[in-house]
Amino acid sequence: MATIFSRIIAGEIPSYKVAEDDKYYAFLDINPLTKGHTLVVPKQEVDYLFDLDDETLAGMVVFAKKVAARIKREIACARVAVVVLGMEVPHAHIHLIPIQNENDVDFHRKKLHLTPEEFREIADKLAR
């Protein structure tokens, strides 16, 4: 059975796409810690990040770097944090989170509740 991320990539489930190429897909996290919180996933369905072959993993990091540069340019933040937890969905993924300080990366804190319009505005800004 396809993961929710594979279904998002396939267009079966809507997402707020930020970037895409032939191997990777980036979209806004629908339960963001901060505005601009983005997930980067390989289109290849592999459960654990470090089970990806070296070429795919390296390419994913380079793709994530480009997305992080867009986030840094468009969202007021001190840095873009990179977090790999990998427990929520059995599909390798990287969280890119615009932060002002380390407390912004606390996954136990209350998530933002954004409107569809706010998500679209952020995704459109990051997709440029």
Side-chain angles (χ1 to χ4, degrees):
M1 180 169 195
T3 69
I4 190 168
F5 291 167
S6 291
R7 295 181 65 208
I8 287 170
I9 293 163
E12 296 171 15
I13 297 174
S15 69
Y16 298 99
K17 180 170 67 170
V18 170
E20 179 178 19
D21 69 12
D22 60 326
K23 293 185 178 185
Y24 310 99
Y25 192 86
F27 57 100
L28 295 179
D29 190 315
I30 60 167
N31 294 303
L33 292 175
T34 64
K35 286 186 178 183
H37 181 167
T38 300
L39 297 174
V40 174
V41 300
K43 289 185 175 179
Q44 175 187 7
E45 190 173 300
V46 172
D47 179 10
Y48 180 53
L49 187 76
F50 295 122
D51 285 340
L52 292 169
D53 63 81
D54 291 349
E55 182 180 337
T56 302
L57 177 59
M60 186 173 170
V61 171
V62 171
F63 181 83
K65 180 180 178 180
K66 293 174 187 173
V67 174
R70 290 182 192 180
I71 293 170
K72 182 81 167 91
R73 182 182 71 229
E74 298 294 337
I75 305 289
C77 62
R79 300 244 169 138
V80 177
V82 178
V83 178
V84 177
L85 297 173
M87 301 300 288
E88 317 83 35
V89 176
H91 190 131
H93 58 284
I94 296 171
H95 294 262
L96 299 177
I97 308 165
I99 63 169
Q100 296 302 334
N101 59 61
E102 291 178 1
N103 293 330
D104 290 338
V105 187
D106 180 358
F107 279 81
H108 294 101
R109 70 188 188 119
K110 187 176 178 180
K111 308 299 187 282
L112 296 181
H113 293 283
L114 304 176
T115 66
E117 293 78 25
E118 289 174 303
F119 276 116
R120 272 193 296 279
E121 180 182 315
I122 295 166
D124 289 348
K125 193 186 296 190
L126 296 180
R128 294 185 205 145

